[in-house]
Amino acid sequence: GLSSENTSLRKRPSGLTRYHSAGEASFLRGVGVELSRGAHQISLFGSYRPLDASFLMIDTIENPLVSTLRTSGLHRTQSEVDGRNAVDESILGGYYQYSSRLFRAGIGTAAWSVSHSIVPSDELYRLFYFRGSELNSLFIDYRLFLSRLHLYGEVAVQDFGTPAFMQGFDFRPGGGVELTLAYRYFDHGYMAIFQSPYSRSSTPGGEQGLYAAIRFQPLKQATITSTLNYYRFSWMRYRVSAPSSGFDYRLWARYAIDRANGLVLRYRYSSQERARLNGSSPSKGL
C-alpha cells in the first residue's frame, strides 16, 4: 500500500533480509548468499520447508491433490490437523544487478515447486488460477535516473509464456511538485508465487490499470497529495460475473501548525462493479 508521504510505485530491491512479519507462511527457510564487486552484484538463494494444505476429497491416496495452501497457521479442526506440514515446498533462485550513477538494471529467475499438485475449486472465476506443482519465473527490471525524471519498469514471464509488466515515471519539475504516472498489465494466467506488485486485487492475474499521483506544497507548512487508480479486470472475479472495472480516488491534506501539532484531512472515493443478486450484468457501487 501507499502512504500520504510517498506517491511513487517504485520499489527498491532490498536483497536478502531477515523476516519481519508475524505471519507463519510467507517466509523462506534455507540459505542465501550475496556477492558484489564494483557495479556488479549477484544474489543466490535456496529454500525448503513444509506447508499446511487442504486436500480434495477424492481417491488419490498415493499422491493426493491440494485445493489450497493454507497460510493461517491454525490447527483447530481435524482437517486442519491432517493438513499440517503436508506439502513440501522448494524454491531456487538468483538475481544479478548492474548499478551505475544514472542507471540500474537486473535480471532474475525463481523456480518454485511443491510435492503435491494444486487443483483449485471449480468456480468459474478460478478458471485461470494456477494448477500443477511447478512454477518458473523470469524477470527483468531497470531504473534510469535523470536530473528531474526517474524512469522505472519491470517485465516478468511465468513459465515462459504468461507475461506481466509495469512501467512508470516520477517527475519533479520544481517548486515542491512531484508527479507520478504508472501503467501495469498482468495476463489473466499470471499467478507468480511471492509476488507483491501494486494492484487492486490480491490475485492480480487479469488486471490492468493506470495510476496517477500529484504531491505539492502550496505553503511551507501545507502538503496536498492526490492519487487516482483506475483498473480493469479481463475476467470475472469473486462476486463479479463479468469483466469489470473501477477506480479509487484519494486526497490527503496536511497543515503543520508547529513541530508538535498539525491538521490532517483525508478523503477517499471508490467505485467498482459487482454482480446483482439475480446474476445480471455488473452494477456499480461504493
Side-chain angles (χ1 to χ4, degrees):
L2 293 173
S3 68
S4 59
E5 304 300 327
N6 181 28
T7 59
S8 175
L9 299 186
R10 174 172 52 95
K11 292 189 176 183
R12 296 175 175 83
S14 57
L16 299 176
T17 60
R18 64 187 180 93
Y19 184 64
H20 296 272
S21 176
E24 298 187 14
S26 300
F27 61 90
L28 300 180
R29 178 180 289 142
V31 61
V33 60
E34 287 186 349
L35 304 172
S36 59
R37 184 175 183 179
H40 307 275
Q41 179 178 356
I42 186 170
S43 301
L44 302 173
F45 69 91
S47 172
Y48 175 84
R49 60 176 182 147
L51 300 177
D52 294 350
S54 297
F55 292 94
L56 294 176
M57 299 299 293
I58 58 177
D59 187 16
T60 55
I61 298 177
E62 294 184 358
N63 189 24
L65 300 178
V66 173
S67 59
T68 57
L69 297 175
R70 293 192 287 106
T71 60
S72 65
L74 300 176
H75 307 98
R76 304 159 297 182
T77 64
Q78 186 60 46
S79 62
E80 291 178 347
V81 173
D82 294 340
R84 183 175 185 178
N85 296 335
V87 175
D88 296 327
E89 177 198 64
S90 301
I91 303 178
L92 294 174
Y95 178 70
Y96 166 77
Q97 179 178 263
Y98 172 81
S99 303
S100 66
R101 187 175 64 89
L102 299 177
F103 180 74
R104 293 182 183 178
I107 181 171
T109 182
W112 175 87
S113 64
V114 288
S115 56
H116 298 74
S117 294
I118 298 176
V119 180
S121 54
D122 57 1
E123 289 91 350
L124 194 55
Y125 74 90
R126 296 175 180 260
L127 178 63
F128 297 104
Y129 277 32
F130 171 74
R131 301 167 185 267
S133 59
E134 297 181 356
L135 189 61
N136 299 288
S137 298
L138 178 67
F139 57 93
I140 299 173
D141 66 271
Y142 85 95
R143 288 178 288 171
L144 178 63
F145 304 92
L146 302 177
S147 58
R148 298 180 181 270
L149 184 65
H150 182 191
L151 298 173
Y152 53 91
E154 181 177 356
V155 178
V157 178
Q158 172 185 300
D159 285 337
F160 307 102
T162 305
F165 71 87
M166 192 272 287
Q167 174 62 57
F169 71 84
D170 300 337
F171 180 55
R172 296 185 177 183
V177 178
E178 299 179 16
L179 301 174
T180 295
L181 186 65
Y183 174 76
R184 64 189 184 275
Y185 169 83
F186 307 100
D187 187 88
H188 53 251
Y190 184 77
M191 300 291 291
I193 306 299
F194 292 119
Q195 59 187 345
S196 60
Y198 178 81
S199 62
R200 184 59 172 81
S201 174
S202 59
T203 54
E207 177 179 340
Q208 56 181 312
L210 184 67
Y211 172 85
I214 181 173
R215 185 171 184 260
F216 62 98
Q217 291 183 276
L219 301 173
K220 183 178 180 180
Q221 302 89 347
T223 303
I224 299 177
T225 303
S226 178
T227 66
L228 176 65
N229 176 35
Y230 172 80
Y231 54 89
R232 179 169 180 80
F233 298 98
S234 61
W235 186 247
M236 60 184 65
R237 301 180 298 117
Y238 177 68
R239 295 183 61 188
V240 183
S241 56
S244 60
S245 62
F247 69 90
D248 295 321
Y249 174 76
R250 297 188 181 190
L251 175 67
W252 296 280
R254 173 179 295 177
Y255 182 82
I257 300 175
D258 52 38
R259 291 186 177 182
N261 301 284
L263 299 175
V264 176
L265 171 67
R266 295 187 180 185
Y267 173 78
R268 178 184 178 185
Y269 181 86
S270 179
S271 176
Q272 58 182 322
E273 294 178 335
R274 289 184 178 178
R276 296 191 179 100
L277 296 178
N278 60 7
S280 58
S281 59
S283 60
K284 289 190 174 181
L286 299 181

